[in-house]
């Protein structure tokens, strides 16, 4: 399969991308390269190969969620440089 200018514009429209005319040639080369690579992968004999859902057999071991000792609100706020009665006060990050 080869991607032409019309297909590129349709894909860009569906993906809500703005493709500038000077970017079209490079994008067409990239898309056609990926599709050529995928065609090469389709030629590989995969009979007897089980599909993978994960790249390794490792399983994440989670600990039990057990309630333990924790700081009271008053004690935690007592160490804060700025706070009100209930929350930490921090400098504004977003405007």
């Amino acid at each position: 399969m080869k991607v032409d200018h019309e297909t590129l514009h349709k894909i860009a429209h569906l993906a809500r991308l703005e493709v500038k005319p000077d970017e079209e040639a490079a994008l067409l080369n990239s898309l056609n390269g990926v599709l050529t690579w995928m065609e090469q992968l389709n030629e590989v004999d995969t009979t007897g190969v089980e599909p993978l859902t994960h790249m390794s057999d490792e399983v994440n071991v989670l600990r039990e969620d057990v309630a333990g000792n924790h700081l009271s609100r008053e004690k935690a706020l007592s160490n804060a440089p700025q706070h009100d009665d209930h929350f930490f006060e921090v400098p504004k990050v977003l405007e």
Side-chain angles (χ1 to χ4, degrees):
M1 180 179 182
K2 189 164 172 94
V3 178
D4 58 3
H5 286 279
E6 183 180 328
T7 308
L8 176 66
H9 289 289
K10 184 175 181 179
I11 292 170
H13 173 73
L14 292 173
R16 306 295 191 257
L17 297 174
E18 181 182 338
V19 178
K20 297 177 181 151
D22 58 329
E23 298 173 337
E24 285 183 17
L27 197 53
L28 280 171
N29 284 337
S30 294
L31 286 172
N32 286 321
V34 168
L35 291 175
T36 301
W37 181 66
M38 291 302 295
E39 288 172 358
Q40 289 176 353
L41 287 178
N42 286 334
E43 295 172 3
V44 175
D45 181 22
T46 58
T47 54
V49 177
E50 292 292 321
L52 293 175
T53 55
H54 299 288
M55 292 307 295
S56 71
D57 293 330
E58 298 297 321
V59 177
N60 192 4
V61 180
L62 302 174
R63 64 173 173 79
E64 285 291 320
D65 190 14
V66 179
N69 295 336
H70 62 279
L71 292 175
S72 67
R73 178 178 293 166
E74 294 78 22
K75 189 170 183 176
L77 290 175
S78 70
N79 293 324
Q82 291 182 303
H83 60 86
D84 62 9
D85 291 337
H86 300 287
F87 303 105
F88 296 103
E89 291 181 355
V90 297
K92 189 174 187 177
V93 177
L94 301 175
E95 301 203 24

